[in-house]
Amino acid sequence: MSRLPTTVTVGGRTVAVRPTLIDRLVNWRDPIKGAARYQARLRMAMVGGYNAADRNRPVNQRGWRSERDAASIVAADAATLRAESQDMVRNSPVGGGAIKLNVTKVVGRGLVPKAQIDRDLLGLDDEAADAWERNAEREYHLATGTREIDAERCLPFALLQGLAFQKVLEDGDVLVNLPRFARPGSPYRLKVELIEAARVCNPKGQADTATLVQGVRVDAHGGPATYYVASRHPGSLRRGALAEPITWQELRAFDSGGHPLALLLMDKQRPGQPRGVAYLAPVIELIKQLGRYTDAEVMAAVINGMLTAVVYNDTGVPDLGEEEDDTLSEGEQRTSTSGDMSRMTLGNGSIIGLPAGAGNRIEVIDGKRPNINFDPFVLAMLRQIGMALEIPFELLVRHFTSSYSASRAALEEAWDYFQRRRAWLASQLCQPIYEAILTEAIASGRLTAPGFFADARLRHAWLGTLWQGDAPSTLDPVKEIEAARARIDLRLTTRAEERARLVGGDWEASLPQMRREQELLEQHHLTPAPAAVPAPAEQPSQEQEDDAAA
């Protein structure tokens, strides 16, 4: 009887095909059939070309994974990831800092619309189109510039954007309900209500089905049809809340005309994904371990900084000679602590006496701290965290010391990511709110838009918008201004685009103020020739920077 091999090398590729018990039995009974069976298994193992898919390789035998659909993956871990992510925001400098950095750079002071209607399709000249766009922006700011837009009557829409985006990052998603009711402080009925992800759940805790997943009922094509919202947060511990039974409200996602009534904001990563995943999900475990390591190193450094001495002698009293004790009153004597060791603690310059052991001697507790390897190790971990979160390491730790070129590259790389996030927020939240406000303004007669309700193409033409936010950070404003001037002179960009890129805001809106300033300067005879922008200082090359750093 021939013995079956465990590994075979074919064409330079080694394939491990371990004989099973049935293989051995067949080979013992009939070696020819055993060899044929083994060859068939070998051919099956050689079909794939990826070593990572070869489960016979020892490195792939741990952590066996099976592929599942998006709904099953998200539903199984959603509650746990939300709880861990919220804890990170509250207690972790790394996790909380990464989310706050996203909110600051993406939302900042809030995204604002710049109306851009299709003038050719609507048949409007420039003067009429400009007037309509200014009126549309005024109506938008009238509806969103105060706290009346908030259903909870706390925040204007600019701050609601930041809160909604933070909850998407922190919890994975947030439900934006768009109820309509009147308030004395605003002529608009539209309101924005943010609902936390935990409140969107299946009624009465029923299990997920093919059409109902984590509080979202989908239609035949997988699109959201309704959302089920609990009357209170499942984790609420307020007095009286536990005594009230939880009820569920059914919110429709769209009305009969296809206009949104509720928006589930999430960064969708897979087809068929019904709910979002927390932004910190890939790095939660790593951040927790890094936090434990940091706490241990800090505690070790604190203990080491106390410089505690331990005295071993026959009495157990740290008797180092005659010393006056101000804490003892007249007539009192120092007592030995050898019998009571429970109250012994480390302290700043403390001396502890221990019972007799190995003769009289004095030892100083030295924890060999600070650990010189602490900083390099933590920075290496932060680099991996930054890779997963799409945030360059320099921006994640807010520390730019490597070189000018590296710092500039980090800012530009991060800005690509922040622009993608800003475009997502504008299309998923800001634009639907803008369209709902203008629709209400046109329906109530505050704005006039012929054909708005009759033709979908005309409706889209009236609702054209460009969303603007805060400008990106710059390391050398002089060089940025020179580059902007060159792009304008070459007709590559407009002044409005460069204004938004450099300082943010609307260039056209600032024209009246610039005109008034110019008139005042001329009135007081303060009109010197415009000063030329100073030439930027020559920056050292990357090789020079590296040599200087070395």
Side-chain angles (χ1 to χ4, degrees):
M1 180 186 67
S2 62
R3 187 172 182 178
L4 298 175
T6 57
T7 60
V8 177
T9 301
V10 180
R13 180 187 177 190
T14 300
V15 180
V17 182
R18 292 179 174 81
T20 63
L21 178 61
I22 298 179
D23 291 336
R24 295 190 181 95
L25 290 176
V26 172
N27 191 60
W28 174 79
R29 178 79 177 182
D30 189 340
I32 296 178
K33 292 184 178 180
R37 175 185 174 86
Y38 186 78
Q39 290 177 1
R41 291 191 57 206
L42 179 62
R43 284 193 297 270
M44 293 177 60
M46 291 292 296
V47 169
Y50 292 94
N51 291 336
D54 186 1
R55 296 300 184 182
N56 293 313
R57 293 171 62 87
V59 70
N60 296 330
Q61 291 178 359
R62 295 187 60 185
W64 190 285
R65 297 290 183 266
S66 59
E67 186 177 4
R68 288 184 290 171
D69 66 300
S72 300
I73 291 290
V74 173
D77 302 327
T80 302
L81 290 177
R82 283 199 301 267
E84 294 288 350
S85 179
Q86 292 171 7
D87 180 72
M88 290 286 167
V89 174
R90 291 191 298 265
N91 301 308
S92 170
V94 178
I99 288 182
K100 293 176 182 177
L101 174 66
N102 270 271
V103 176
T104 300
K105 296 297 184 180
V106 174
V107 183
R109 292 170 293 179
L111 305 185
V112 295
K114 176 63 177 174
Q116 289 188 339
I117 62 177
D118 192 336
R119 306 179 180 204
D120 295 336
L121 179 61
L122 298 174
L124 299 178
D125 57 25
D126 290 343
E127 184 178 356
D130 291 341
W132 196 94
E133 290 174 348
R134 287 192 295 268
N135 289 332
E137 293 169 6
R138 290 191 187 102
E139 294 299 323
Y140 170 82
H141 291 300
L142 174 63
T144 63
T146 66
R147 67 183 64 185
E148 301 302 329
I149 187 67
D150 185 4
E152 297 180 357
R153 219 170 193 176
C154 293
L155 303 174
F157 184 59
L159 298 182
L160 281 175
Q161 295 175 29
L163 179 59
F165 185 53
Q166 177 176 335
K167 294 308 295 180
V168 170
L169 298 175
E170 183 177 345
D171 296 346
D173 55 44
V174 64
L175 183 63
V176 182
N177 187 27
L178 303 177
R180 270 79 171 175
F181 55 88
R183 273 179 178 163
S186 174
Y188 286 91
R189 297 174 56 85
L190 176 70
K191 301 295 179 287
V192 177
E193 179 186 11
L194 300 184
I195 300 174
E196 285 199 306
R199 290 181 57 192
V200 182
C201 53
N202 295 346
K204 301 180 181 180
Q206 58 182 281
D208 291 340
T209 64
T211 58
L212 178 63
V213 181
Q214 296 290 294
V216 180
R217 186 174 296 281
V218 298
D219 57 22
H221 302 284
T226 56
Y227 304 104
Y228 293 92
V229 180
S231 56
R232 61 176 171 86
H233 195 287
S236 176
L237 298 178
R238 291 180 297 174
R239 179 177 298 179
L242 297 179
E244 300 176 359
I246 298 180
T247 58
W248 279 264
Q249 180 184 6
E250 186 175 353
L251 300 178
R252 288 191 301 158
F254 302 94
D255 63 11
S256 57
H259 306 125
L261 299 176
L263 306 168
L264 184 64
L265 302 184
M266 66 173 180
D267 188 12
K268 191 170 183 177
Q269 301 171 355
R270 293 182 59 181
Q273 180 179 338
R275 299 292 301 271
V277 180
Y279 174 62
L280 299 177
V283 294
I284 284 178
E285 183 178 4
L286 184 57
I287 293 178
K288 290 173 65 176
Q289 296 284 39
L290 188 61
R292 294 189 184 101
Y293 172 65
T294 302
D295 292 341
E297 285 293 339
V298 171
M299 181 57 67
V302 170
I303 294 175
N304 183 71
M306 290 179 177
L307 188 61
T308 300
V310 179
V311 179
Y312 297 84
N313 55 26
D314 294 336
T315 63
V317 178
D319 187 5
L320 302 179
E322 297 295 332
E323 180 181 1
E324 183 178 355
D325 192 346
D326 296 336
T327 62
L328 298 179
S329 61
E330 185 177 357
E332 290 183 338
Q333 296 181 353
R334 186 188 302 273
T335 59
S336 172
T337 61
S338 59
D340 185 8
M341 300 177 60
S342 61
R343 291 179 294 177
M344 292 183 180
T345 59
L346 301 180
N348 298 326
S350 299
I351 301 176
I352 299 177
L354 296 179
N360 297 339
R361 69 184 189 276
I362 299 177
E363 292 184 2
V364 178
I365 298 178
D366 184 6
K368 303 299 182 184
R369 290 295 187 277
N371 182 5
I372 61 174
N373 295 321
F374 174 78
D375 194 56
F377 176 77
V378 171
L379 295 182
M381 294 298 100
L382 291 176
R383 287 188 176 91
Q384 295 188 31
I385 293 173
M387 290 171 57
L389 301 181
E390 295 189 69
I391 299 178
F393 163 75
E394 292 85 354
L395 198 59
L396 180 64
V397 299
R398 277 78 158 185
H399 196 56
F400 301 90
T401 58
S402 55
S403 67
Y404 172 83
S405 301
S407 300
R408 181 180 175 85
L411 289 176
E412 292 179 351
E413 191 73 18
W415 186 241
D416 292 339
Y417 162 71
F418 294 139
Q419 279 188 311
R420 180 183 70 83
R421 284 287 193 177
R422 180 174 290 183
W424 172 87
L425 181 65
S427 64
Q428 298 298 304
L429 175 64
C430 299
Q431 184 65 23
I433 299 297
Y434 176 83
E435 293 179 0
I437 291 173
L438 260 63
T439 300
E440 184 176 346
I442 295 171
S444 62
R446 298 183 66 89
L447 285 176
T448 301
F452 185 86
F453 295 104
D455 190 338
R457 188 173 63 157
L458 294 179
R459 171 185 171 85
H460 184 266
W462 286 113
L463 296 176
T465 315
L466 174 66
W467 290 91
Q468 300 174 338
D470 294 342
S473 303
T474 59
L475 294 179
D476 192 338
V478 175
K479 295 182 68 174
E480 295 292 341
I481 293 174
E482 282 297 315
R485 172 182 293 179
R487 287 191 292 264
I488 293 175
D489 292 342
L490 294 174
R491 306 296 190 267
L492 298 177
T493 58
T494 64
R495 285 178 170 81
E497 292 172 337
E498 295 300 336
R499 166 65 183 263
R501 187 197 308 270
L502 291 176
V503 297
D506 187 0
W507 178 79
E508 187 176 354
S510 63
L511 279 178
Q513 179 63 25
M514 288 191 291
R515 183 179 63 251
R516 287 191 294 268
E517 291 177 357
Q518 184 65 28
E519 292 174 353
L520 288 174
L521 290 173
E522 293 176 354
Q523 179 181 352
H524 294 83
H525 306 289
L526 299 174
T527 56
V533 178
E538 183 178 355
Q539 297 294 336
S541 63
Q542 182 64 50
E543 293 76 8
Q544 292 173 335
E545 291 179 346
D546 296 339
D547 294 340

